[in-house]
Amino acid sequence: MALTDAANDVDNALTRDGFRGHSFENAFGGALSFLRRTYTKDLMDVDLAVTGIPFDQAVTHRPGTRLGPRAIREVSTLQACDPPYGWDIDPMLDCNVADYGDLAFDYADIPAFPKAVTNHISGILDAGAGSLCLGGDHYITFPILRAYVKKFGPLSLLQFDAHSDTWPDDDMARVDHGTMFYKAVKEGLIVPERSVQVGIRTVCENYMGVNVIDAREVHESGTVAVVKKIKSIIGDHQTYLTFDIDCLDPAFAPGTGTPVSGGLSSAQALHILRDLKGLNMVGGDVVEVSPPFDVGNATAVAGAHVATELMCLYCYNKRERA
């Protein structure tokens, strides 16, 4: 990259020919998309579709996650000019990654929302692409999993979070960001013995058989040991990866609905994700970024970097299994 490239490079999200290439336009200007990827509603030849789900209804404390997708896209412009650090694959050059825009839904018709999400993701999967979703509160993962299981069958869930989200709730129509993985186990969407929750630091009486690596274990055993343990549990099983930004300590991600002290640092999280290279990941999401509670945008920056790691994990897996 030369700094002078910005003199002629602009609006790549709308003007790029095809899907591949870095973007050297000014980070503070231009048409927004995640990592300046080509914006399209045509998924022919797309490997991975990045899509926003700006839903903010089910949180138990602070609102604002509906603004998460926009904030993540905005700060991702700082990453669009270089290959992702620490990887031997560059999805911006080696894969067809597109920004598919946001889910359309009636904000006043909450009961219709879950099906809208499932249909949206099913459309992406039916086109032959994978999805990388930018949330939105964490409830969105539940209807996303319903779409994935239609195609892949029951999945391993790799969840980075401060909370287990397995509090009991047998009302499957109820929209709540603290009960959806209880429901996912009940519906047979995930295989609990092949699933892992990382970063947990709140009490839940029933983890529904899901393996837990709590925050203290991460801090005491180190990231290398955590990665080894995750791989030993999941093996080669097809995996959906969900990252609640409150997995990070509020010092690194203050802008979230339910912050909990004692969490992972952004460095720990990124090291774990990077070292999971080879995970049989079929899709993922980053959720709970709430920009109104972080004037410095550190939370969105963390979210954008996590999303980039998920993109790399997905594209590496796709390349190695082609």
Side-chain angles (χ1 to χ4, degrees), residues 131-148:
S131 70
L132 173 54
C133 298
L134 310 177
D137 76 47
H138 209 166
Y139 174 80
I140 68 171
T141 307
F142 183 43
I144 292 171
L145 285 171
R146 283 173 166 165
Y148 265 86

Side-chain angles (χ1 to χ4, degrees), residues 56 59 61-69 71-72 135-137 244-246 253-259 287-295 297-300:
D56 185 16
V59 292
H61 188 33
R62 305 189 306 197
T65 57
R66 67 182 63 184
L67 303 176
I72 291 172
D137 76 47
D244 186 327
I245 207 68
D246 73 21
T256 187
T258 49
V287 296
E288 300 277 353
V289 173
S290 184
F293 295 96
D294 181 4
V295 296
N297 281 342
T299 311

Side-chain angles (χ1 to χ4, degrees), residues 1-283:
M1 172 188 178
L3 295 179
T4 55
D5 290 341
N8 301 301
D9 204 15
V10 70
D11 295 334
N12 283 300
L14 303 178
T15 62
R16 180 183 289 109
D17 184 14
F19 299 103
R20 304 190 182 193
H22 295 138
S23 176
F24 305 110
E25 58 190 285
N26 289 321
F28 50 81
L32 285 182
S33 65
F34 180 69
L35 293 176
R36 306 286 197 187
R37 297 302 85 204
T38 304
Y39 180 87
T40 184
K41 291 295 186 183
D42 181 357
L43 293 178
M44 182 177 293
D45 298 324
V46 170
D47 296 314
L48 181 65
V50 181
T51 186
I53 304 184
F55 180 71
D56 185 16
Q57 165 67 26
V59 292
T60 52
H61 188 33
R62 305 189 306 197
T65 57
R66 67 182 63 184
L67 303 176
R70 181 183 298 171
I72 291 172
R73 285 186 175 105
E74 181 178 359
V75 298
S76 77
T77 61
L78 290 167
Q79 301 170 252
C81 56
D82 295 313
Y85 180 80
W87 283 89
D88 59 2
I89 187 172
D90 181 355
M92 291 183 280
L93 297 180
D94 301 331
C95 299
N96 292 342
V97 180
D99 195 316
Y100 190 55
D102 286 354
L103 167 71
F105 65 96
D106 183 348
Y107 69 90
D109 188 0
I110 301 305
F113 174 76
K115 187 174 182 181
V117 177
T118 300
N119 290 343
H120 181 69
I121 301 302
S122 291
I124 294 172
L125 299 179
D126 290 346
S131 70
L132 173 54
C133 298
L134 310 177
D137 76 47
H138 209 166
Y139 174 80
I140 68 171
T141 307
F142 183 43
I144 292 171
L145 285 171
R146 283 173 166 165
Y148 265 86
V149 169
K150 287 180 183 178
K151 179 170 183 177
F152 295 101
L155 299 170
S156 292
L157 180 72
L158 178 52
Q159 174 190 354
F160 289 79
D161 209 322
H163 314 85
S164 69
D165 298 332
T166 57
W167 284 281
D169 180 4
D170 291 308
D171 182 354
M172 292 299 173
R174 187 171 174 273
V175 176
D176 189 321
H177 79 155
T179 66
M180 65 280 181
F181 297 133
Y182 172 92
K183 296 174 180 178
V185 174
K186 287 280 190 175
E187 281 198 10
L189 304 180
I190 62 176
V191 183
E193 63 270 21
R194 288 280 195 154
S195 300
V196 188
Q197 297 174 330
V198 182
I200 303 301
R201 51 194 187 278
T202 51
V203 175
C204 181
E205 293 182 356
N206 186 357
Y207 294 95
M208 299 299 290
V210 176
N211 299 276
V212 174
I213 302 174
D214 68 12
R216 180 167 183 165
E217 183 175 349
V218 176
H219 295 314
E220 293 184 349
S221 66
T223 60
V224 173
V226 168
V227 169
K228 184 177 180 180
K229 186 172 183 178
I230 292 171
K231 288 183 174 180
S232 72
I233 294 168
I234 293 178
D236 197 46
H237 204 262
Q238 290 175 317
T239 302
Y240 187 89
L241 197 162
T242 180
F243 197 106
D244 186 327
I245 207 68
D246 73 21
C247 179
L248 304 184
D249 189 90
F252 302 92
T256 187
T258 49
V260 182
S261 291
L264 276 61
S265 71
S266 54
Q268 286 174 311
L270 295 178
H271 292 168
I272 292 170
L273 291 172
R274 203 164 294 150
D275 289 350
L276 283 169
K277 182 171 68 174
L279 181 76
N280 191 2
M281 176 184 163
V282 295

Side-chain angles (χ1 to χ4, degrees), residues 300-321:
V301 170
H305 280 269
V306 167
T308 299
E309 298 298 318
L310 268 56
M311 173 187 71
C312 292
L313 283 168
Y314 177 88
C315 292
Y316 182 90
N317 184 48
K318 185 176 179 67
R319 184 185 73 179
E320 294 302 300
R321 296 173 190 274

